[in-house]
Amino acid sequence: MANLAAVVGIGQTKYTTKRGDVSIAGLVREAAVNALADAELTWNDIDAVILGKAPDMFEGVVMPEIYLTDALGCNGKPMLRVHTAGSVGGSTAIVAASHVQSGTFRRVLTVAFEKQSESNAMWALSSPQPFSTHLNAGAGGYFAPIIREYMRRSGAPYDVGIKVAVKDRLHGARNPLAHLQKPDITMKEVEESFMLWDPIRFLESCPSSDGACAMVIANEELAGQSPKKPAWIRGAAMRSEPTMYAGREEVSPQAGRDCAADVYQQAGITDPRRDLDVAEIYVPFSWYEPMWLENLGFAPEGEGWKLTMEGATSLDENGDIPWNPSGGVLSSNPIGASGMIRFAEAARQVRGDAEQHQVEGAKLAMGHAYGGGAQFFAMWVVGAEKS
Amino acid sequence: MKDIAIVGYQQSDLVSDAGACNEVEMIIPVLGKLYEQVGITNAQDVDFVCSGSCDYLQGAAFAFVMGVDALGAVPPIKESHVEMDAAWALYESILKIRMGQAESALIYGFGKSSPGELPIVLSQQLDPYYLAPLWVDTVSLAAMQARMMLDQGLITEQDMAEVVARSRQNARRNPHAQLAGDVSADDVLAQETFVSPLRKADMCPVSDGASAVVIATVEKAREWGIPYAVISGIDHCIETHNLGMRDLTDSSSTRTAAKNAGMHNGAVDVAELYAPFSHQEIILTRALGLDSNTSINPSGGVLAGNPMMAAGLSRIGEVFNRIVSGEASRGIAHATSGPCLQHNLVTVLEKA
């Protein structure tokens, strides 16, 4: 049985297109220092550092943990670098938690980042490979046909994605760290934004951001002494499936369903919509909200879009299960950090520390990340109470 | 805490150029042999899978993604990846077993370095603002380290050549080795220097290859009824990236990791050290306090073949082989990452 562990400190940077004022080391250190300050700890209180980010080509630094150890106060300690595609921020948090849950460490620092302005993500994702079709389409081009298939199957109205784009930006306007600040966004504005990869419009896509997110994770004893409320890790799970195989269900991947079932079982959740108070779910393109509502069991198959349209996932419409009150990936997307931001924002909610985007009385929250062609998943459930 | 053991290890032949064989094609035969050794069917028969690889070797983002195609991950599996040598993937897997989420794990590492210029590729590991723009490559940094040792009288070129000669001799018994032969220290010293003071023989070759390991709780290993070696300790430690702040003639992080892993709790019959350059084997041997009672790099070590991202895991596998064959009762395996031995991991293995 795993030892109890909890998030006792959270630090983030302000997400923005280009942080020209700091180096990569400066960026990760800023998030780490914020997390230590939040936990009222110092570098000496940290036993190990677990670093995550998406492909090294995004900054052009090979295995950057080697260079970042100084900035992260890790010299003389263990450093681990996780890379699981877009889900990496979530996976990194889970691997960091396992350092404590295994009883091996008492308190660790985990950091995930991306400084996308250092390079060009489209280029990094599209380098031609021998014997492979050159997919020069980026993530949006990859996911657009899958979204179209969801629309065909579910018969969802054309404006579900537009609604999600507006909702998450209104949420983001409550979060001063969010990259996009669009408090006056309208359905019309989103609809009239240009079409990037039909049916994904410009404003239905995530931005490209610089940013880092950090958490301090401690064991039960140390979490009990922490000055601020801990967020107890009630369940954590990862699943992977191959990129392609005969019969692969790309609209609602089996790996996502299995991962959710695993984390719900650990956290004692039988009905996620009822049992959870809030969820931070990886939605980089608007239509992934209704798709993941179904994949994660918040709605029956073909009906996820109804929750979105009813306002069930909206903080502004007093929905019963707000999704992405921080503004989500649609408001900020430093790719390698995006998963950890979901996990950290879930923790902020159950710590009652989410300020203007707090879901009142949140006791149980889910963080979710996916990556690659939606074949890698990482999820955790955090609670205000230990069990 | 549960006792965890290595129950199987396989590696590919180490070659200078695997040609059109891609990464998945390098991994699949290794996994096939490993499954046969352990008596399982595929990755579905273990509770967790973790791999180590490096995007820049393949020249593509997400190098590990295609690696998953080698696993038969349908239905979906519990799987993770480190952008590090797979020895660290083994470390992550041990944490997973210790926390009770798995009883067994498959770990694999792979690297096809031949398509690129490895020393230049690795130069991009360095501080991107101050060092990487100089394109100072790994061989030059290691040469500087060797020069410091020579200048301080800590080693002689003869000492370095003897490391190489022993590697070539030992590798004659390693069917997967890339470089092996009846080579003497005098043969090595007769070579011209390449990046002074290093001769080509002082450097590990550029290799393509893969290796894989299965670990399990001791209970599970007994249930499977196969030979195993217990992992009695494992730890790792990183040092500053600023070369000017480190004593490059020593490896304090290796010493720390070895101490924390409990290396000194018994005799060390065998040590497999990840020393890509001859003088680094001497640094590691001294940092660990090893003497003539320990057989060092009986496989030939990475001077006989250096599959990036797999070679550290292979060191653990080579010690496992010595223990299950009865050649050794207790041994240590070392893995490294970063320029001039910046980050080091030590595993202690013992006879069941």
Side-chain angles (χ1 to χ4, degrees):
Chain A
M1 191 55 199
N3 296 304
L4 271 175
V7 178
V8 298
I10 297 171
Q12 302 181 61
T13 61
K14 159 74 183 159
Y15 304 112
T16 186
T17 304
K18 183 177 172 75
R19 277 296 301 270
D21 60 323
V22 287
S23 64
I24 299 168
L27 185 76
V28 296
R29 189 172 176 92
E30 186 175 308
V33 165
N34 290 345
L36 288 173
D38 186 45
E40 296 182 24
L41 295 170
T42 67
W43 296 106
N44 288 339
D45 299 313
I46 299 299
D47 301 331
V49 178
I50 299 88
L51 181 72
K53 68 175 275 10
D56 292 354
M57 286 178 168
F58 282 180
E59 288 84 10
V61 185
V62 178
M63 299 156 77
E65 76 280 358
I66 288 169
Y67 144 65
L68 292 173
T69 174
D70 293 270
L72 292 173
C74 194
N75 297 347
K77 297 173 187 174
M79 161 72 82
L80 198 79
R81 158 73 195 292
V82 181
H83 175 20
T84 64
S87 65
V88 66
S91 309
T92 305
I94 290 174
V95 173
S98 75
H99 279 67
V100 175
Q101 292 167 314
S102 63
T104 311
F105 295 87
R106 285 155 50 87
R107 188 162 43 206
V108 301
L109 171 70
T110 184
V111 185
F113 77 97
E114 211 69 73
K115 200 160 188 290
Q116 291 186 220
S117 66
E118 298 280 342
S119 173
N120 180 319
M122 187 80 166
W123 166 80
L125 292 174
S126 302
S127 60
Q129 288 297 296
F131 314 117
S132 298
T133 310
H134 187 199
L135 182 75
N136 199 358
Y142 185 90
F143 291 118
I146 302 170
I147 292 171
R148 293 194 73 82
E149 173 62 6
Y150 171 75
M151 294 168 80
R152 187 191 68 78
R153 285 189 203 173
S154 65
Y158 82 102
D159 56 351
V160 175
I162 297 171
K163 170 89 193 267
V164 175
V166 171
K167 183 226 18 159
D168 278 1
R169 270 49 172 272
L170 291 176
H171 286 174
R174 295 162 170 261
N175 175 8
L177 298 176
H179 179 171
L180 300 183
Q181 293 292 334
K182 299 183 77 65
D184 304 318
I185 194 170
T186 62
M187 296 279 282
K188 185 164 179 288
E189 184 186 353
V190 176
E191 187 167 2
E192 287 176 355
S193 68
F194 59 94
M195 191 63 82
L196 281 176
W197 307 273
D198 197 349
I200 307 172
R201 293 172 180 81
F202 178 72
L203 284 175
E204 291 180 84
S205 306
C206 53
S208 174
S209 314
D210 284 359
C213 178
M215 291 190 283
V216 178
I217 297 175
N219 69 11
E220 185 174 11
E221 184 200 344
L222 294 176
Q225 300 164 7
S226 107
K228 287 169 83 171
K229 225 166 124 48
W232 296 97
I233 299 166
R234 301 274 292 272
M238 287 163 67
R239 285 294 185 285
S240 308
E241 66 184 28
T243 312
M244 290 173 205
Y245 60 92
R248 178 164 186 242
E249 169 53 277
E250 292 192 79
V251 173
S252 183
Q254 182 73 40
R257 281 181 275 151
D258 289 2
C259 191
D262 188 350
V263 81
Y264 295 157
Q265 191 267 330
Q266 292 175 45
I269 291 169
T270 51
D271 177 346
R273 183 175 176 182
R274 188 195 65 208
D275 297 343
L276 287 161
D277 298 307
V278 51
E280 282 279 345
I281 307 294
Y282 206 98
V283 177
F285 301 103
S286 60
W287 279 92
Y288 268 86
E289 173 168 305
M291 288 163 68
W292 290 150
L293 278 164
E294 296 170 28
N295 184 251
L296 300 173
F298 287 72
E301 195 177 325
E303 296 184 18
W305 62 271
K306 292 181 184 166
L307 270 65
T308 298
M309 295 314 268
E310 287 162 9
T313 57
S314 165
L315 208 50
D316 296 292
E317 295 177 61
N318 292 314
D320 65 286
I321 180 67
W323 269 35
N324 296 322
S326 70
V329 181
L330 282 171
S331 296
S332 316
N333 189 34
I335 297 182
S338 285
M340 189 171 288
I341 300 168
R342 307 280 72 70
F343 279 46
E345 284 289 345
R348 287 185 73 186
Q349 290 289 342
V350 300
R351 297 173 90 200
D353 189 31
E355 299 176 351
Q356 293 307 305
H357 61 282
Q358 177 69 45
V359 174
E360 209 176 319
K363 293 271 180 271
L364 202 62
M366 178 172 179
H368 163 282
Y370 84 94
Q375 73 271 41
F376 300 108
F377 292 86
M379 303 175 196
W380 81 3
V381 170
V382 284
E385 309 298 334
K386 290 182 189 176
S387 60
Chain B
M1 221 175 264
K2 280 179 185 164
D3 282 333
I4 302 169
I6 310 273
V7 298
Y9 161 64
Q10 293 292 332
Q11 67 164 314
S12 66
D13 288 342
L14 305 179
V15 297
S16 63
D17 186 349
C21 178
N22 71 19
E23 285 79 357
V24 176
E25 290 167 329
M26 278 190 332
I27 300 163
I28 285 180
V30 174
L31 293 184
K33 281 189 274 181
L34 182 61
Y35 298 154
E36 197 178 324
Q37 179 183 11
V38 178
I40 60 177
T41 314
N42 56 37
Q44 300 287 339
D45 293 339
V46 294
D47 300 327
F48 184 64
V49 179
C50 199
S51 61
S53 71
C54 173
D55 282 354
Y56 265 78
L57 296 181
Q58 193 165 331
F62 309 124
F64 66 95
V65 170
M66 297 317 282
V68 175
D69 282 357
L71 298 173
V74 182
I77 57 172
K78 298 176 185 175
E79 188 260 351
S80 187
H81 172 262
V82 295
E83 193 83 354
M84 305 179 84
D85 188 284
W88 278 270
L90 181 134
Y91 184 86
E92 180 180 331
S93 304
I94 285 175
L95 298 178
K96 196 66 86 178
I97 294 180
R98 282 183 186 165
M99 70 181 280
Q101 280 210 340
E103 291 188 341
S104 58
L106 166 68
I107 299 104
Y108 64 99
F110 59 98
K112 194 179 172 193
S113 303
S114 61
E117 290 178 68
L118 186 60
I120 296 294
V121 171
L122 292 181
S123 76
Q124 299 307 294
Q125 276 184 338
L126 301 171
D127 180 316
Y129 303 96
Y130 292 102
L131 277 173
L134 304 174
W135 295 95
V136 51
D137 65 275
T138 41
V139 175
S140 301
L141 288 174
M144 190 175 70
Q145 184 181 34
R147 175 60 67 199
M148 289 173 79
M149 297 187 73
L150 289 165
D151 285 356
Q152 292 178 32
L154 297 171
I155 54 169
T156 62
E157 292 191 36
Q158 177 78 26
D159 296 332
M160 293 165 67
E162 279 168 12
V163 169
V164 177
R166 182 164 37 74
S167 165
R168 296 287 189 276
Q169 299 280 351
N170 286 347
R172 291 192 298 172
R173 292 190 298 140
N174 177 358
H176 302 290
Q178 185 176 337
L179 298 178
D182 189 10
V183 173
S184 70
D186 287 342
D187 296 336
V188 174
L189 290 169
Q191 277 191 8
E192 285 180 18
T193 55
F194 174 61
V195 180
S196 176
L198 300 179
R199 294 170 170 82
K200 281 208 169 164
D202 289 309
M203 302 158 44
C204 61
V206 174
S207 312
D208 293 346
S211 68
V213 157
V214 172
I215 64 171
T217 60
V218 165
E219 296 84 69
K220 190 79 186 171
R222 288 194 187 123
E223 183 191 316
W224 282 343
I226 46 175
Y228 60 89
V230 177
I231 302 168
S232 65
I234 185 167
D235 193 47
H236 65 107
C237 184
I238 193 166
E239 293 176 52
T240 176
H241 184 62
N242 291 297
L243 294 166
M245 289 172 65
R246 287 170 50 197
D247 178 359
L248 295 180
T249 66
D250 187 18
S251 180
S252 63
S253 55
T254 300
R255 196 160 39 241
T256 303
K259 181 170 168 282
N260 292 344
M263 177 190 124
H264 304 290
N265 298 338
V268 179
D269 303 326
V270 59
E272 281 281 343
L273 308 177
Y274 194 156
F277 301 91
S278 59
H279 66 279
Q280 292 181 342
E281 186 184 294
I282 302 171
I283 294 174
L284 292 168
T285 304
R286 290 178 184 171
L288 292 166
L290 298 174
D291 58 25
S292 59
N293 293 319
T294 302
S295 164
I296 293 169
N297 287 339
S299 71
V302 296
L303 291 177
N306 180 36
M308 291 296 294
M309 320 317 285
L313 181 68
S314 297
R315 305 279 67 70
I316 298 169
E318 291 294 336
V319 173
F320 159 82
N321 277 352
R322 297 296 178 292
I323 290 176
V324 296
S325 72
E327 269 177 65
S329 304
R330 189 167 183 276
I332 63 154
H334 160 266
T336 197
S337 177
C340 299
L341 306 171
Q342 187 189 338
H343 189 186
N344 297 285
L345 178 143
V346 174
T347 309
V348 182
L349 296 182
E350 293 182 8
K351 197 172 88 175

